[in-house]
mmCIF file of all heavy atoms in Angstrom:
data_model
loop_
_atom_site.group_PDB
_atom_site.id
_atom_site.type_symbol
_atom_site.label_atom_id
_atom_site.label_comp_id
_atom_site.label_asym_id
_atom_site.label_seq_id
_atom_site.Cartn_x
_atom_site.Cartn_y
_atom_site.Cartn_z
ATOM 1 N N LEU A 69 19.517 74.483 -11.781
ATOM 2 C CA LEU A 69 19.516 75.326 -10.565
ATOM 3 C C LEU A 69 20.949 75.596 -10.121
ATOM 4 O O LEU A 69 21.320 76.704 -9.751
ATOM 5 C CB LEU A 69 18.751 74.688 -9.432
ATOM 6 C CG LEU A 69 18.653 75.422 -8.125
ATOM 7 C CD1 LEU A 69 18.037 76.763 -8.360
ATOM 8 C CD2 LEU A 69 17.824 74.613 -7.161
ATOM 9 N N ASN A 72 24.873 77.287 -12.478
ATOM 10 C CA ASN A 72 25.494 78.608 -12.466
ATOM 11 C C ASN A 72 26.121 78.994 -11.108
ATOM 12 O O ASN A 72 26.293 80.162 -10.870
ATOM 13 C CB ASN A 72 24.384 79.644 -12.840
ATOM 14 C CG ASN A 72 23.218 79.670 -11.846
ATOM 15 O OD1 ASN A 72 23.139 78.837 -11.010
ATOM 16 N ND2 ASN A 72 22.350 80.629 -12.024
ATOM 17 N N ALA A 73 26.427 78.043 -10.298
ATOM 18 C CA ALA A 73 26.974 78.313 -8.989
ATOM 19 C C ALA A 73 28.318 79.074 -9.048
ATOM 20 O O ALA A 73 28.488 80.036 -8.309
ATOM 21 C CB ALA A 73 27.102 77.010 -8.194
ATOM 22 N N SER A 74 29.211 78.702 -9.916
ATOM 23 C CA SER A 74 30.519 79.381 -9.997
ATOM 24 C C SER A 74 30.329 80.787 -10.470
ATOM 25 O O SER A 74 30.972 81.727 -9.953
ATOM 26 C CB SER A 74 31.498 78.597 -10.834
ATOM 27 O OG SER A 74 31.020 78.541 -12.172
ATOM 28 N N PHE A 75 29.434 81.044 -11.447
ATOM 29 C CA PHE A 75 29.172 82.392 -11.918
ATOM 30 C C PHE A 75 28.557 83.203 -10.788
ATOM 31 O O PHE A 75 28.954 84.365 -10.619
ATOM 32 C CB PHE A 75 28.282 82.344 -13.161
ATOM 33 C CG PHE A 75 27.812 83.697 -13.607
ATOM 34 C CD1 PHE A 75 28.736 84.512 -14.213
ATOM 35 C CD2 PHE A 75 26.542 84.121 -13.389
ATOM 36 C CE1 PHE A 75 28.359 85.779 -14.643
ATOM 37 C CE2 PHE A 75 26.135 85.377 -13.791
ATOM 38 C CZ PHE A 75 27.039 86.228 -14.400
ATOM 39 N N ALA A 76 27.619 82.620 -10.093
ATOM 40 C CA ALA A 76 26.933 83.402 -8.992
ATOM 41 C C ALA A 76 27.925 83.758 -7.911
ATOM 42 O O ALA A 76 27.891 84.821 -7.347
ATOM 43 C CB ALA A 76 25.774 82.526 -8.459
ATOM 44 N N ARG A 77 28.856 82.815 -7.593
ATOM 45 C CA ARG A 77 29.886 83.112 -6.632
ATOM 46 C C ARG A 77 30.734 84.338 -7.041
ATOM 47 O O ARG A 77 31.113 85.161 -6.196
ATOM 48 C CB ARG A 77 30.789 81.918 -6.407
ATOM 49 C CG ARG A 77 30.650 81.303 -5.071
ATOM 50 C CD ARG A 77 31.615 80.116 -4.786
ATOM 51 N NE ARG A 77 30.829 78.972 -4.469
ATOM 52 C CZ ARG A 77 30.584 77.923 -5.272
ATOM 53 N NH1 ARG A 77 31.097 77.813 -6.418
ATOM 54 N NH2 ARG A 77 29.854 76.926 -4.811
ATOM 55 N N ASP A 78 31.073 84.413 -8.310
ATOM 56 C CA ASP A 78 31.879 85.555 -8.781
ATOM 57 C C ASP A 78 31.060 86.836 -8.732
ATOM 58 O O ASP A 78 31.636 87.901 -8.409
ATOM 59 C CB ASP A 78 32.305 85.277 -10.238
ATOM 60 C CG ASP A 78 33.283 84.151 -10.337
ATOM 61 O OD1 ASP A 78 33.927 83.806 -9.316
ATOM 62 O OD2 ASP A 78 33.434 83.604 -11.426
ATOM 63 N N VAL A 79 29.779 86.772 -8.952
ATOM 64 C CA VAL A 79 28.964 87.973 -8.901
ATOM 65 C C VAL A 79 28.796 88.527 -7.447
ATOM 66 O O VAL A 79 28.628 89.689 -7.256
ATOM 67 C CB VAL A 79 27.544 87.740 -9.533
ATOM 68 C CG1 VAL A 79 26.601 88.883 -9.384
ATOM 69 C CG2 VAL A 79 27.737 87.418 -11.057
ATOM 70 N N LEU A 80 28.880 87.560 -6.510
ATOM 71 C CA LEU A 80 28.797 87.961 -5.112
ATOM 72 C C LEU A 80 29.886 88.973 -4.737
ATOM 73 O O LEU A 80 29.620 89.837 -3.839
ATOM 74 C CB LEU A 80 28.845 86.750 -4.156
ATOM 75 C CG LEU A 80 27.707 85.715 -4.287
ATOM 76 C CD1 LEU A 80 27.900 84.637 -3.262
ATOM 77 C CD2 LEU A 80 26.341 86.386 -4.142
ATOM 78 N N ALA A 81 31.025 88.864 -5.350
ATOM 79 C CA ALA A 81 32.118 89.798 -5.062
ATOM 80 C C ALA A 81 31.680 91.207 -5.399
ATOM 81 O O ALA A 81 32.018 92.166 -4.703
ATOM 82 C CB ALA A 81 33.373 89.389 -5.813
ATOM 83 N N VAL A 82 30.924 91.397 -6.457
ATOM 84 C CA VAL A 82 30.411 92.697 -6.905
ATOM 85 C C VAL A 82 29.471 93.229 -5.833
ATOM 86 O O VAL A 82 29.554 94.376 -5.416
ATOM 87 C CB VAL A 82 29.719 92.611 -8.257
ATOM 88 C CG1 VAL A 82 29.112 93.948 -8.687
ATOM 89 C CG2 VAL A 82 30.698 92.099 -9.345
ATOM 90 N N ALA A 83 28.570 92.343 -5.370
ATOM 91 C CA ALA A 83 27.546 92.803 -4.337
ATOM 92 C C ALA A 83 28.305 93.190 -3.069
ATOM 93 O O ALA A 83 27.954 94.168 -2.401
ATOM 94 C CB ALA A 83 26.633 91.691 -4.091
ATOM 95 N N ASP A 84 29.348 92.430 -2.694
ATOM 96 C CA ASP A 84 30.143 92.764 -1.475
ATOM 97 C C ASP A 84 30.823 94.084 -1.615
ATOM 98 O O ASP A 84 30.852 94.884 -0.706
ATOM 99 C CB ASP A 84 31.178 91.659 -1.249
ATOM 100 C CG ASP A 84 30.567 90.331 -0.811
ATOM 101 O OD1 ASP A 84 29.419 90.374 -0.329
ATOM 102 O OD2 ASP A 84 31.246 89.335 -0.982
ATOM 103 N N MET A 86 29.890 96.665 -3.422
ATOM 104 C CA MET A 86 28.901 97.692 -3.339
ATOM 105 C C MET A 86 28.494 97.960 -1.862
ATOM 106 O O MET A 86 28.388 99.116 -1.440
ATOM 107 C CB MET A 86 27.624 97.343 -4.104
ATOM 108 C CG MET A 86 27.890 97.282 -5.625
ATOM 109 S SD MET A 86 26.428 96.852 -6.528
ATOM 110 C CE MET A 86 25.945 98.455 -7.115
ATOM 111 N N THR A 115 21.256 100.186 -8.090
ATOM 112 C CA THR A 115 22.007 99.102 -8.771
ATOM 113 C C THR A 115 22.119 97.929 -7.883
ATOM 114 O O THR A 115 21.996 96.750 -8.341
ATOM 115 C CB THR A 115 23.391 99.633 -9.198
ATOM 116 O OG1 THR A 115 23.275 100.782 -9.970
ATOM 117 C CG2 THR A 115 24.146 98.607 -9.970
ATOM 118 N N GLU A 116 22.415 98.119 -6.586
ATOM 119 C CA GLU A 116 22.566 96.975 -5.665
ATOM 120 C C GLU A 116 21.212 96.229 -5.517
ATOM 121 O O GLU A 116 21.175 95.024 -5.522
ATOM 122 C CB GLU A 116 22.997 97.484 -4.281
ATOM 123 C CG GLU A 116 23.234 96.300 -3.300
ATOM 124 C CD GLU A 116 23.457 96.731 -1.882
ATOM 125 O OE1 GLU A 116 22.919 97.769 -1.476
ATOM 126 O OE2 GLU A 116 24.174 96.016 -1.209
ATOM 127 N N ARG A 117 20.115 96.988 -5.426
ATOM 128 C CA ARG A 117 18.782 96.352 -5.316
ATOM 129 C C ARG A 117 18.543 95.537 -6.589
ATOM 130 O O ARG A 117 18.018 94.426 -6.497
ATOM 131 C CB ARG A 117 17.729 97.398 -5.104
ATOM 132 C CG ARG A 117 17.539 97.832 -3.670
ATOM 133 C CD ARG A 117 16.228 98.492 -3.422
ATOM 134 N NE ARG A 117 15.982 99.674 -4.265
ATOM 135 C CZ ARG A 117 16.398 100.908 -3.944
ATOM 136 N NH1 ARG A 117 17.010 101.151 -2.802
ATOM 137 N NH2 ARG A 117 16.152 101.928 -4.790
ATOM 138 N N GLU A 118 18.832 96.079 -7.735
ATOM 139 C CA GLU A 118 18.579 95.343 -8.977
ATOM 140 C C GLU A 118 19.453 94.132 -9.069
ATOM 141 O O GLU A 118 19.037 93.065 -9.499
ATOM 142 C CB GLU A 118 18.937 96.340 -10.205
ATOM 143 C CG GLU A 118 18.561 95.709 -11.547
ATOM 144 C CD GLU A 118 17.060 95.529 -11.712
ATOM 145 O OE1 GLU A 118 16.255 96.175 -11.052
ATOM 146 O OE2 GLU A 118 16.728 94.624 -12.494
ATOM 147 N N LEU A 119 20.714 94.184 -8.588
ATOM 148 C CA LEU A 119 21.618 93.051 -8.607
ATOM 149 C C LEU A 119 21.081 91.944 -7.719
ATOM 150 O O LEU A 119 21.034 90.794 -8.097
ATOM 151 C CB LEU A 119 23.041 93.451 -8.128
ATOM 152 C CG LEU A 119 24.042 92.364 -7.940
ATOM 153 C CD1 LEU A 119 24.371 91.671 -9.254
ATOM 154 C CD2 LEU A 119 25.308 92.868 -7.329
ATOM 155 N N LEU A 120 20.576 92.313 -6.512
ATOM 156 C CA LEU A 120 20.045 91.316 -5.626
ATOM 157 C C LEU A 120 18.721 90.696 -6.166
ATOM 158 O O LEU A 120 18.441 89.505 -5.993
ATOM 159 C CB LEU A 120 19.788 91.956 -4.216
ATOM 160 C CG LEU A 120 21.041 92.308 -3.441
ATOM 161 C CD1 LEU A 120 20.657 93.049 -2.162
ATOM 162 C CD2 LEU A 120 21.902 91.097 -3.159
ATOM 163 N N LYS A 121 17.979 91.522 -6.853
ATOM 164 C CA LYS A 121 16.734 91.014 -7.502
ATOM 165 C C LYS A 121 17.085 90.025 -8.606
ATOM 166 O O LYS A 121 16.416 88.944 -8.729
ATOM 167 C CB LYS A 121 15.945 92.187 -8.111
ATOM 168 C CG LYS A 121 14.529 91.814 -8.509
ATOM 169 C CD LYS A 121 13.798 92.893 -9.345
ATOM 170 C CE LYS A 121 13.676 94.163 -8.579
ATOM 171 N NZ LYS A 121 12.932 95.215 -9.319
ATOM 172 N N VAL A 122 18.056 90.315 -9.396
ATOM 173 C CA VAL A 122 18.492 89.356 -10.481
ATOM 174 C C VAL A 122 19.037 88.060 -9.827
ATOM 175 O O VAL A 122 18.696 86.900 -10.281
ATOM 176 C CB VAL A 122 19.545 89.990 -11.374
ATOM 177 C CG1 VAL A 122 20.162 88.947 -12.287
ATOM 178 C CG2 VAL A 122 18.906 91.112 -12.226
ATOM 179 N N LEU A 123 19.853 88.194 -8.752
ATOM 180 C CA LEU A 123 20.365 86.929 -8.088
ATOM 181 C C LEU A 123 19.196 86.171 -7.512
ATOM 182 O O LEU A 123 19.168 84.920 -7.671
ATOM 183 C CB LEU A 123 21.276 87.342 -6.979
ATOM 184 C CG LEU A 123 22.691 87.861 -7.387
ATOM 185 C CD1 LEU A 123 23.424 88.466 -6.166
ATOM 186 C CD2 LEU A 123 23.496 86.781 -8.074
ATOM 187 N N ASP A 124 18.200 86.865 -6.920
ATOM 188 C CA ASP A 124 16.989 86.174 -6.390
ATOM 189 C C ASP A 124 16.263 85.442 -7.492
ATOM 190 O O ASP A 124 15.718 84.300 -7.299
ATOM 191 C CB ASP A 124 16.133 87.147 -5.648
ATOM 192 C CG ASP A 124 15.053 86.481 -4.896
ATOM 193 O OD1 ASP A 124 15.356 85.609 -4.017
ATOM 194 O OD2 ASP A 124 13.830 86.826 -5.143
ATOM 195 N N LYS A 125 16.159 86.080 -8.641
ATOM 196 C CA LYS A 125 15.450 85.464 -9.779
ATOM 197 C C LYS A 125 16.069 84.125 -10.181
ATOM 198 O O LYS A 125 15.402 83.247 -10.648
ATOM 199 C CB LYS A 125 15.451 86.420 -10.947
ATOM 200 C CG LYS A 125 14.757 85.948 -12.204
ATOM 201 C CD LYS A 125 14.833 86.994 -13.285
ATOM 202 C CE LYS A 125 14.350 86.476 -14.565
ATOM 203 N NZ LYS A 125 14.592 87.427 -15.678
ATOM 204 N N HIS A 126 17.370 84.030 -9.996
ATOM 205 C CA HIS A 126 18.124 82.809 -10.371
ATOM 206 C C HIS A 126 18.366 81.876 -9.185
ATOM 207 O O HIS A 126 19.238 81.060 -9.225
ATOM 208 C CB HIS A 126 19.406 83.196 -11.075
ATOM 209 C CG HIS A 126 19.197 83.802 -12.421
ATOM 210 N ND1 HIS A 126 18.878 83.061 -13.547
ATOM 211 C CD2 HIS A 126 19.183 85.106 -12.797
ATOM 212 C CE1 HIS A 126 18.740 83.861 -14.563
ATOM 213 N NE2 HIS A 126 18.903 85.084 -14.171
ATOM 214 N N GLY A 127 17.604 82.081 -8.090
ATOM 215 C CA GLY A 127 17.674 81.167 -6.979
ATOM 216 C C GLY A 127 18.731 81.494 -5.897
ATOM 217 O O GLY A 127 18.885 80.776 -4.970
ATOM 218 N N VAL A 128 19.412 82.667 -6.037
ATOM 219 C CA VAL A 128 20.413 83.039 -5.047
ATOM 220 C C VAL A 128 19.808 84.012 -4.074
ATOM 221 O O VAL A 128 19.356 85.105 -4.443
ATOM 222 C CB VAL A 128 21.638 83.704 -5.739
ATOM 223 C CG1 VAL A 128 22.693 84.065 -4.723
ATOM 224 C CG2 VAL A 128 22.247 82.750 -6.780
ATOM 225 N N LYS A 129 19.801 83.621 -2.782
ATOM 226 C CA LYS A 129 19.144 84.397 -1.778
ATOM 227 C C LYS A 129 20.176 84.827 -0.716
ATOM 228 O O LYS A 129 20.920 83.959 -0.237
ATOM 229 C CB LYS A 129 18.026 83.655 -1.097
ATOM 230 C CG LYS A 129 16.852 83.347 -2.103
ATOM 231 C CD LYS A 129 15.667 82.827 -1.367
ATOM 232 C CE LYS A 129 14.567 82.372 -2.320
ATOM 233 N NZ LYS A 129 14.253 83.243 -3.417
ATOM 234 N N LYS A 130 20.142 86.065 -0.285
ATOM 235 C CA LYS A 130 21.061 86.578 0.721
ATOM 236 C C LYS A 130 20.450 86.298 2.077
ATOM 237 O O LYS A 130 19.225 86.383 2.260
ATOM 238 C CB LYS A 130 21.166 88.105 0.499
ATOM 239 C CG LYS A 130 22.166 88.786 1.421
ATOM 240 C CD LYS A 130 22.249 90.253 1.079
ATOM 241 C CE LYS A 130 23.283 90.979 1.906
ATOM 242 N NZ LYS A 130 23.367 92.425 1.582
ATOM 243 N N GLY A 166 25.738 85.842 4.044
ATOM 244 C CA GLY A 166 25.834 84.591 3.378
ATOM 245 C C GLY A 166 24.835 84.550 2.250
ATOM 246 O O GLY A 166 23.915 85.344 2.207
ATOM 247 N N TYR A 167 24.974 83.550 1.370
ATOM 248 C CA TYR A 167 24.083 83.391 0.236
ATOM 249 C C TYR A 167 23.743 81.883 0.052
ATOM 250 O O TYR A 167 24.609 81.044 0.241
ATOM 251 C CB TYR A 167 24.682 83.898 -1.023
ATOM 252 C CG TYR A 167 24.775 85.426 -1.129
ATOM 253 C CD1 TYR A 167 25.845 86.091 -0.612
ATOM 254 C CD2 TYR A 167 23.746 86.170 -1.724
ATOM 255 C CE1 TYR A 167 25.927 87.473 -0.672
ATOM 256 C CE2 TYR A 167 23.820 87.515 -1.762
ATOM 257 C CZ TYR A 167 24.874 88.205 -1.270
ATOM 258 O OH TYR A 167 24.927 89.572 -1.289
ATOM 259 N N MET A 168 22.493 81.636 -0.282
ATOM 260 C CA MET A 168 22.032 80.269 -0.536
ATOM 261 C C MET A 168 21.684 80.191 -2.050
ATOM 262 O O MET A 168 21.199 81.186 -2.621
ATOM 263 C CB MET A 168 20.744 79.981 0.205
ATOM 264 C CG MET A 168 20.847 79.998 1.709
ATOM 265 S SD MET A 168 21.726 78.624 2.416
ATOM 266 C CE MET A 168 20.613 77.301 2.131
ATOM 267 N N LEU A 169 21.921 79.061 -2.666
ATOM 268 C CA LEU A 169 21.507 78.758 -4.026
ATOM 269 C C LEU A 169 20.590 77.600 -3.921
ATOM 270 O O LEU A 169 20.990 76.445 -3.721
ATOM 271 C CB LEU A 169 22.740 78.448 -4.909
ATOM 272 C CG LEU A 169 22.448 78.056 -6.322
ATOM 273 C CD1 LEU A 169 21.649 79.239 -7.028
ATOM 274 C CD2 LEU A 169 23.650 77.797 -7.135
ATOM 275 N N GLY A 170 19.313 77.877 -4.027
ATOM 276 C CA GLY A 170 18.287 76.822 -3.794
ATOM 277 C C GLY A 170 18.388 76.353 -2.344
ATOM 278 O O GLY A 170 18.230 77.193 -1.422
ATOM 279 N N LEU A 174 25.701 78.642 -0.882
ATOM 280 C CA LEU A 174 26.620 79.135 -1.914
ATOM 281 C C LEU A 174 27.843 79.719 -1.294
ATOM 282 O O LEU A 174 28.968 79.464 -1.714
ATOM 283 C CB LEU A 174 25.926 80.129 -2.805
ATOM 284 C CG LEU A 174 26.699 80.695 -4.007
ATOM 285 C CD1 LEU A 174 27.040 79.567 -4.917
ATOM 286 C CD2 LEU A 174 25.878 81.782 -4.728
ATOM 287 N N ARG A 175 27.592 80.518 -0.202
ATOM 288 C CA ARG A 175 28.684 81.066 0.573
ATOM 289 C C ARG A 175 28.225 81.199 2.004
ATOM 290 O O ARG A 175 27.135 81.827 2.219
ATOM 291 C CB ARG A 175 29.179 82.367 -0.020
ATOM 292 C CG ARG A 175 30.373 82.927 0.744
ATOM 293 C CD ARG A 175 30.786 84.294 0.263
ATOM 294 N NE ARG A 175 29.878 85.284 0.736
ATOM 295 C CZ ARG A 175 29.892 86.542 0.316
ATOM 296 N NH1 ARG A 175 30.663 86.967 -0.649
ATOM 297 N NH2 ARG A 175 29.041 87.431 0.839
#
Side-chain angles (χ1 to χ4, degrees):
L69 184 59
N72 61 351
S74 62
F75 174 72
R77 246 183 238 107
D78 293 341
V79 173
L80 295 183
V82 177
D84 292 339
M86 294 179 101
T115 305
E116 184 190 31
R117 277 198 302 272
E118 187 66 26
L119 175 64
L120 292 175
K121 192 190 299 181
V122 169
L123 286 171
D124 188 56
K125 179 181 172 186
H126 292 281
V128 179
K129 297 191 186 311
K130 183 178 183 179
Y167 287 87
M168 299 286 290
L169 177 58
L174 184 61
R175 185 183 75 189

